[in-house]
Amino acid sequence: MHDGRFDPSGFYEFNLTGGTVRTRAGERVVMLSEGVLSALVEAAARDGDLTPLRRLGELLGEQVLSGLDRPASVLSAEAVLGHTSAVTALFGWGRLAFERWGPALVIALRDKPELDEDELGAAALLGGMFSEISQRQVSCVPTGDSKFIMVDFEVAETVWGWYKDGADLPAIVGMLESKRAS
Amino acid sequence: MSNREDRLRSLLDKVRAKRPEERTTHAADALERMRTASGTTAAAVAPSSPPLPPAAQPTPVPSAFPTQAAPQSFSEPQTSQRLESPTRYSSQPPRVERPLSVEPRTPSVRPISATPSVPSPAPTTRRPESIRPQSVAPTGQPVVYATDPPEFPRPKTFGDLLELTLSLRPR
């Protein structure tokens, strides 16, 4: 029933006898409080290994792909956003939105859990999710105000350095240019 | 005065002769009242008599009605005027404006007698050239040119946005 809209009914299957919660795709999930998750993410960010969060993002991306009847690359941005924001909300990761800043695609994630100060945990989650959705390796770099610019993983470190040096999102976009235009 | 009393009395006698069993009629009562009240029948006949009761007033209405209606119904001058008016109009040819729909589009089909020899007054009575049918005639261009849908840019898909943002490199 791929009518273009996400159907949240029956997304979770609660097995009280077995003590498990699964998604309708069969993935087992665990309910965590925001405080516990925040401590775990802080520790992972200090160690420089956010792989678990990226893996969680990939799982969310798989949930999104299971609701699409065609590859995301041929769908409209609104259709992809509808499914992605629904899955993100079902897992409690806040409100997702797309923004276009010139040639750059920016992901806004409002009301997300407060995990780490630099928002690297959310960046890893979004990177893993959109890599799974687009079937390409993408990076979502924090640019402040709960916004993440989506760039190729090869330039992610450079963009992150600009942001840490104080550049805001318009400045970062201004320092980038399309490879196809040059 | 006495003549009117005599006529009323004769009328009363006629009624009594037709219906002898009725010794008292409305006419006799009226006659008796006139005698005892004023001693004259003029007050009952005159329409402007104030002492008469309202029940006696309908009596003069029939006598006054024919004297006023007759001259109006037979000698009304307006009726004859209305009948004469179509004849008077038909004696003169009506001036009818030439309808725009049948106006000749080319000078060759216009009647020669109605067209003056001087061409200068003719444009003042003709319709402006901008609203003549010739101005909206098809120009011979194929209609398909006007019905071709305009080309709009194809809406960007999520893949298009992704390609664009992943192509960004530092300047």
Side-chain angles (χ1 to χ4, degrees):
Chain A
M1 41 156 277
H2 299 295
D3 57 350
R5 279 185 283 183
F6 183 82
D7 182 16
S9 59
F11 186 83
Y12 288 112
E13 178 185 314
F14 296 93
N15 187 344
L16 299 181
T17 304
T20 59
V21 180
R22 296 182 182 276
T23 67
R24 62 185 173 195
E27 187 77 21
R28 182 173 179 177
V29 295
V30 178
M31 302 295 179
L32 286 179
S33 68
E34 183 180 4
V36 172
L37 182 62
S38 175
L40 293 174
V41 172
E42 281 283 0
R46 273 197 310 269
D47 296 341
D49 185 10
L50 291 170
T51 305
L53 278 173
R54 189 170 179 93
R55 175 58 188 151
L56 178 58
E58 291 172 356
L59 294 177
L60 297 183
E62 291 175 2
Q63 296 289 338
V64 173
L65 289 180
S66 66
L68 301 179
D69 55 347
R70 288 177 292 171
S73 58
V74 301
L75 296 176
S76 66
E78 291 81 2
V80 176
L81 175 63
H83 285 262
T84 308
S85 61
V87 171
T88 305
L90 279 174
F91 279 87
W93 282 91
R95 294 181 292 114
L96 194 78
F98 287 167
E99 293 180 5
R100 288 194 64 192
W101 289 68
L105 180 61
V106 175
I107 312 299
L109 187 61
R110 310 287 187 192
D111 299 329
K112 65 182 185 305
E114 296 296 333
L115 302 180
D116 59 298
E117 185 179 357
D118 291 333
E119 297 182 320
L120 291 177
L125 182 92
L126 292 175
M129 183 169 64
F130 281 102
S131 293
E132 186 67 23
I133 292 172
S134 63
Q135 299 293 302
R136 299 178 63 172
Q137 289 296 319
V138 302
S139 295
C140 294
V141 180
T143 57
D145 196 22
S146 300
K147 294 182 180 179
F148 305 83
I149 183 171
M150 187 183 296
V151 293
D152 189 270
F153 71 98
E154 292 181 349
V155 301
E157 283 289 337
T158 304
V159 174
W160 172 245
W162 291 342
Y163 173 67
K164 293 299 287 183
D165 291 340
D168 56 1
L169 181 57
I172 292 173
V173 174
M175 288 186 284
L176 293 170
E177 64 178 356
S178 177
K179 185 178 64 177
R180 296 185 301 183
S182 61
Chain B
M1 300 293 182
S2 61
N3 292 336
R4 290 183 179 271
E5 289 182 4
D6 293 338
R7 275 188 289 171
L8 286 173
R9 190 180 299 279
S10 64
L11 286 173
L12 181 60
D13 293 340
K14 288 179 181 179
V15 172
R16 284 174 177 170
K18 286 182 179 180
R19 288 180 289 183
E21 67 278 3
E22 257 188 324
R23 292 299 179 190
T24 59
T25 62
H26 293 292
D29 293 339
L31 186 59
E32 288 298 323
R33 281 198 301 269
M34 284 185 288
R35 275 182 180 173
T36 57
S38 62
T40 171
T41 57
V45 178
S48 61
S49 173
L52 280 181
Q57 286 185 0
T59 307
V61 174
S63 62
F65 177 72
T67 57
Q68 295 178 359
Q72 290 183 354
S73 60
F74 292 110
S75 63
E76 184 182 4
Q78 295 179 354
T79 306
S80 60
Q81 288 291 333
R82 271 188 249 117
L83 291 175
E84 288 175 358
S85 53
T87 308
R88 194 185 327 142
Y89 287 150
S90 62
S91 62
Q92 297 177 355
R95 292 180 176 269
V96 180
E97 294 293 333
R98 191 162 46 195
L100 294 177
S101 58
V102 297
E103 182 183 7
R105 297 177 181 178
T106 57
S108 60
V109 296
R110 287 181 178 174
I112 299 174
S113 60
T115 305
S117 58
V118 182
S120 57
T124 60
T125 58
R126 291 174 57 185
R127 296 161 56 190
E129 290 294 332
S130 58
I131 59 174
R132 290 177 69 85
Q134 288 86 344
S135 62
V136 295
T139 59
Q141 291 279 348
V143 184
V144 67
Y145 288 163
T147 58
D148 278 343
E151 290 188 2
F152 291 108
R154 183 177 60 88
K156 292 188 184 310
T157 63
F158 178 72
D160 295 335
L161 299 180
L162 197 65
E163 286 291 339
L164 195 58
T165 193
L166 294 183
S167 68
L168 293 177
R169 293 292 183 271
R171 291 181 183 273

